[in-house]
């Protein structure tokens, strides 16, 4: 069965490295070299391949860009394989090529299987390919939040399932609580708005305006205000058209047009053209008679009643009072009334909505309490197993009397209404549950368990970190583990045991360790030496695989600083023999 393995990295113009190839083995690879030789560039390079931040300061002085290329063999059906294929990457015989370029100006490009991809895609592959651990990761392990995540990861579905349900309920509760808080905290403002709307609607309702009424009344007021002038004009016009009964001898338009029509009628048969004019003259006569009749009716019906004029002006004043407040005309006032009535209905429904939201919030809080309790129980059960497994690993790392445990606690809520109930208590809750998780270490019998940040030395912390990772390897493995001097602060027998445990981890995964400890390097299946040339650069020949005598010389240097010391050489050979014996079960 093909395993997922990082086979090779080529690094160009990165830091002190000019051009070098790092060949890795499927098992345990140790990267060693003098301080400042560029060992950590291996970690940096892998970080870039896995979507890490591109720092232009990493580009070697004088170079336009730094390039890191990696070759990974992927197992068929592995999550990383599927994600790479989704991104359009081409795999040849299960081999995936990854490339990352960083320019001196800060631009970054990524390629996956010959296809240009966003850098974020490389980051998505990272979780399925490599677990990177260094001094900064140890510092991360000191944070309770990181310890909670580690415990949850170890617990698997026992925590993941209720955690997913809890997260969904938590988000729903936050949304409901936010809306409820908005309604209740703005209750006074909304009540004031409702009062203003009610007052306006009452005022409009009392006047009862009709659409277009303001226009009609304006026209009527204009007519009533000039009634005498209008009546006089209508009478004069009527007399001019139809005659004045009090002046029988007077000449009017109707009489004159009628005479003209009769004159034309008498001769119309002699000329068709004149007949047409006679017909038009008849039409004019009829039109004059109609207008005269309407003028007579207008004059008779014209109301000059001052009481009616006063009533019209009073009504117009009432309508003007509305248009000053609610709209430029009565049509706008009626629109305002319609919109305000709908808004008032909405505001008056707030009390009902507040009741609904309160009931929904209480139901969600009750659901959250049950899920939080389930989370706490699952974490507590997993913590006992996790601590037991890590404690057993520490015994193999020269810490036989150390005990690891978890403190899982909750903070009681100052206000019961703001908490959820767990174990009969109202406790503070958050997006990850109600638990505060802290990893404790008792390094020797009789010592009180203390947070590892306070109870562990640098060497002890390194071993705790390694023990945690070995335990993870059995429950949630990744194909490759990279440790950057995670053995700092460790020496002597403890260093031997660290090497032994890393070798054990390498039986189920690929392990790459950047180390300064010969006791650790001796257990590696392959040892790489990083060397700088006289001009301070690491060239293609600067990363070499050590075998036989060369490996003994490097281990001697690491032991005593003198690669030709007979005592150091004997010790180095003894270390290698011990490591081989451990590997063969001896």
């Amino acid at each position: 069965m093909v395993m997922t393995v990082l086979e090779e990295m080529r690094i160009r113009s990165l830091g002190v490295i000019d051009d070098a190839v790092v060949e890795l083995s499927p098992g345990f690879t140790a990267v060693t070299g003098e301080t400042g030789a560029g060992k950590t560039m291996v970690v940096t390079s892998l970080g870039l391949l896995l979507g890490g931040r591109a720092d232009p300061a990493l580009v070697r002085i004088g170079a336009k860009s730094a390039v890191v290329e990696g070759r990974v063999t992927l197992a068929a059906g592995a999550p990383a394989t599927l994600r790479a294929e989704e991104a359009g990457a081409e795999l040849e015989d299960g081999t995936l090529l990854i490339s990352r370029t960083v320019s001196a100006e800060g631009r970054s490009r990524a390629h996956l299987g010959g296809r240009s991809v966003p850098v974020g895609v490389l980051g998505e592959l990272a979780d399925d390919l490599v677990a990177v651990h260094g001094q900064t990761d140890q510092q991360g392990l000191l944070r309770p939040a990181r310890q909670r995540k580690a415990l949850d990861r170890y617990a698997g579905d026992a925590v993941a399932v209720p955690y997913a349900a809890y997260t969904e309920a938590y988000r729903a509760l936050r949304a409901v609580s936010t809306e409820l808080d908005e309604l209740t905290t703005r209750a006074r403002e909304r009540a004031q708005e409702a009062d203003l709307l009610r007052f306006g609607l009452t005022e409009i309702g009392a006047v009862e305006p009709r659409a277009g009424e303001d226009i009609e009344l304006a026209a009527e007021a204009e007519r009533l205000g000039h009634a005498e002038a209008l009546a006089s004009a209508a009478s004069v016009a009527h007399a001019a058209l139809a005659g004045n009964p009090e002046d029988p001898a007077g000449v009017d338009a109707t009489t004159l047009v009628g005479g003209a029509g009769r004159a034309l009628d008498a001769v119309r048969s002699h000329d068709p053209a004149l007949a047409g004019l006679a017909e038009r003259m008849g039409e004019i006569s009829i039109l004059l008679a109609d207008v005269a009749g309407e003028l007579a009716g207008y004059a008779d019906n014209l109301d000059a009643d001052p009481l009616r004029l006063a009533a019209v002006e009073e009504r117009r004043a009432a309508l003007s009072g509305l248009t000053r407040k609610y709209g430029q005309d009565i049509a706008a006032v009626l629109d305002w009334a319609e919109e305000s009535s709908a808004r008032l209905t909405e505001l008056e429904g707030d009390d009902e909505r507040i009741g609904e939201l309160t009931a929904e919030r209480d139901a969600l809080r009750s659901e959250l309490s049950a899920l939080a309790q389930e989370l706490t129980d699952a974490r507590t059960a997993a913590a006992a197993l996790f601590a037991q497994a890590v404690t057993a690993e520490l015994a193999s790392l020269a810490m036989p009397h150390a005990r690891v445990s978890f403190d899982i606690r909750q903070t009681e809520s100052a206000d019961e209404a703001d908490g959820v109930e767990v174990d009969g208590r109202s406790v503070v809750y958050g997006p990850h549950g109600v638990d505060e998780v802290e990893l404790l270490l008792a390094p020797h019998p009789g010592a009180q368990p203390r947070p590892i940040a306070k109870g562990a030395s640098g060497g002890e912390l390194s071993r705790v970190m390694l023990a945690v990772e070995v335990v993870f390897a059995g429950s949630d493995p990744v194909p490759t583990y990279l440790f950057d001097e995670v053995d700092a602060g460790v020496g002597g027998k403890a260093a031997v045991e660290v090497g032994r445990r890393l070798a054990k981890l390498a039986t189920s995964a690929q392990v790459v360790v950047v180390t300064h400890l010969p006791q650790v390097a001796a257990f590696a299946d392959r040892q790489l030496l990083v060397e700088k040339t006289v001009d301070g650069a690491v060239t293609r020949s600067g990363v070499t695989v050590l075998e036989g005598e060369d490996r003994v010389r490097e281990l001697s240097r690491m032991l005593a600083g003198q690669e030709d010391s007979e005592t150091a050489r004997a010790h180095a050979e003894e270390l290698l023999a011990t490591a081989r014996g451990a590997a063969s079960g001896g």
Side-chain angles (χ1 to χ4, degrees), residues 169-469:
Y170 176 80
R171 289 174 180 167
L173 178 58
R174 286 294 297 272
V176 168
S177 297
T178 298
E179 185 179 355
L180 185 57
D181 288 344
E182 181 182 353
L183 288 178
T184 53
T185 55
R186 292 185 55 203
R188 179 177 298 178
E189 296 174 16
R190 298 169 79 88
Q192 291 173 346
E193 182 185 358
D195 286 344
L196 289 174
L197 293 177
R198 288 192 195 94
F199 177 83
L201 290 171
T202 299
E203 192 172 18
I204 294 172
V207 176
E208 296 182 336
R210 293 183 294 103
E213 184 181 3
D214 51 341
I215 298 174
E216 296 173 4
L217 290 176
E220 185 177 0
E222 184 73 12
R223 187 170 63 251
L224 290 173
H226 300 84
E228 292 183 4
L230 292 172
S232 175
S235 296
V236 171
H238 180 268
L241 293 177
N244 188 346
E246 296 179 359
D247 184 12
V251 179
D252 58 82
T254 302
T255 301
L256 292 174
V257 171
R262 286 192 295 273
L264 293 176
D265 282 338
V267 295
R268 62 184 297 174
S269 60
H270 302 300
D271 188 348
L274 195 63
L277 293 175
E279 290 179 1
R280 291 170 63 187
M281 190 62 71
E283 294 172 356
I284 292 173
S285 180
I286 295 172
L287 181 60
L288 286 174
D290 289 343
V291 172
E294 289 183 16
L295 286 171
Y298 176 84
D300 291 340
N301 295 326
L302 189 62
D303 187 0
D305 185 359
L307 293 178
R308 173 58 186 167
L309 178 60
V312 168
E313 293 297 349
E314 182 179 357
R315 179 64 176 175
R316 291 187 69 201
L319 295 179
S320 295
L322 298 181
T323 55
R324 281 196 303 273
K325 296 181 181 180
Y326 308 110
Q328 62 182 6
D329 52 30
I330 292 302
V333 170
L334 292 173
D335 288 342
W336 182 92
E338 183 178 358
E339 293 171 1
S340 297
S341 179
R343 174 60 175 163
L344 184 61
T345 299
E346 178 185 337
L347 292 172
E348 289 175 340
D350 280 353
D351 289 341
E352 181 180 350
R353 180 60 178 159
I354 287 174
E356 293 173 354
L357 288 173
T358 300
E360 187 176 355
R361 181 198 62 189
D362 293 344
L364 284 170
R365 184 170 285 155
S366 177
E367 180 184 357
L368 213 62
S369 293
L371 291 170
Q373 181 71 66
E374 189 175 347
L375 262 180
T376 297
D377 293 343
R379 283 173 175 155
T380 301
L385 296 175
F386 192 15
Q388 182 180 355
V390 173
T391 297
E393 286 298 328
L394 288 177
S396 299
L397 293 172
M399 294 178 67
H401 304 297
R403 294 290 180 271
V404 168
S405 59
F406 275 96
D407 179 20
I408 300 178
R409 59 186 181 277
Q410 299 81 36
T411 300
E412 293 198 18
S413 174
D415 185 352
E416 290 190 6
D418 294 332
V420 295
E421 185 175 321
V422 174
D423 286 332
R425 298 177 300 141
S426 179
V427 299
V428 175
Y429 65 97
H432 308 294
V434 299
D435 304 314
E436 297 173 36
V437 177
E438 195 161 30
L439 188 61
L440 306 179
L441 174 68
H444 53 80
Q448 289 296 319
R450 300 181 65 195
I452 58 173
K454 300 176 181 178
S457 65
E460 289 170 340
L461 182 57
S462 295
R463 281 177 278 175
V464 171
M465 181 74 181
L466 179 56
V468 167
E469 204 55 69

Side-chain angles (χ1 to χ4, degrees), residues 131-135 137 146 465 469 481-486:
V132 180
H133 298 287
Q135 296 299 307
D137 297 278
R146 181 75 173 271
M465 181 74 181
E469 204 55 69
Y481 293 88
L482 176 61
F483 293 93
D484 180 17
E485 298 195 13
V486 75

Side-chain angles (χ1 to χ4, degrees), residues 148-169:
R148 175 189 52 74
K149 290 181 181 178
L151 177 59
D152 289 353
R153 174 185 163 196
Y154 175 80
D157 288 345
V159 164
V161 172
Y163 182 75
Y166 177 93
T167 299
E168 184 177 348

